[in-house]
Amino acid sequence: MSPLNVRRVTRRGFEKSLQWCETKGVRVFRDAEILDAQADGNDLHRIEIRSENWSGNVSGHQFVWQLTSDETYHFSVSIGNILFPTGRVRSMWSWVRYRIQLQEAPTLSSLPNQFVMINDLYLPLDPFELVNCAKQ
């Protein structure tokens, strides 16, 4: 009845995904903390991490940073200053999460055109899955 769906992620499924990545040659650092980064202009050269099984510098030619500037600054101002030296970047759109309690049924005009209402407060969500489903 809905154009959107939500995939429930389990710990077992998450672990299987990480193991699959490892079989493809991806280094996976579980429970890692980013301590520092080195960048030269737009090029990121090194990330210093500490994880449960390894600590040190990770060097590379390409990194994928999946946090917005706001999210980056939220967890580390120093990393935010390195990765976003000109300051926070204003996004054209964003995934926003609101918690509301409805005492009575809302009118349709007060709701956005696309929204997902979930009753499970602890459900981990992948916003890109929801966006991709909405476009189909």
Side-chain angles (χ1 to χ4, degrees):
M1 293 182 5
S2 173
L4 305 174
N5 66 16
V6 177
R7 185 184 87 184
R8 292 188 175 268
V9 179
T10 63
R11 284 191 177 128
R12 184 173 157 226
F14 176 68
E15 184 60 34
K16 283 177 67 175
S17 294
L18 292 179
Q19 290 170 354
W20 179 84
C21 288
E22 289 174 323
T23 66
K24 301 299 180 190
V26 175
R27 284 178 72 183
V28 175
F29 301 100
R30 287 167 174 78
D31 297 323
E33 176 185 2
I34 298 175
L35 303 175
D36 194 13
Q38 178 187 7
D40 180 23
N42 290 333
D43 297 326
L44 184 62
H45 299 289
R46 176 188 62 80
I47 298 176
E48 182 182 354
I49 65 167
R50 177 174 52 215
S51 70
E52 65 182 32
N53 57 353
W54 186 84
S55 293
N57 293 320
V58 177
S59 298
H61 298 288
Q62 296 180 357
F63 293 92
V64 177
W65 190 261
Q66 293 187 291
L67 299 179
T68 65
S69 59
D70 284 332
E71 292 167 330
T72 302
Y73 276 101
H74 180 72
F75 92 82
S76 173
V77 173
S78 62
I79 299 294
N81 289 333
I82 292 168
L83 297 180
F84 301 97
T86 59
R88 296 172 191 251
V89 178
R90 186 168 178 93
S91 301
M92 293 177 67
W93 70 273
S94 66
W95 170 260
V96 180
R97 176 180 172 184
Y98 291 100
R99 283 190 181 159
I100 60 172
Q101 292 181 341
L102 302 174
Q103 301 301 326
E104 56 189 58
T107 62
L108 290 179
S109 63
S110 66
L111 297 174
N113 291 334
Q114 294 283 335
F115 70 95
V116 177
M117 187 175 295
I118 300 169
N119 202 20
D120 184 350
L121 297 178
Y122 302 104
L123 181 65
L125 292 177
D126 181 351
F128 296 105
E129 275 190 34
L130 294 173
V131 169
N132 288 334
C133 290
K135 290 180 180 177
Q136 293 176 359

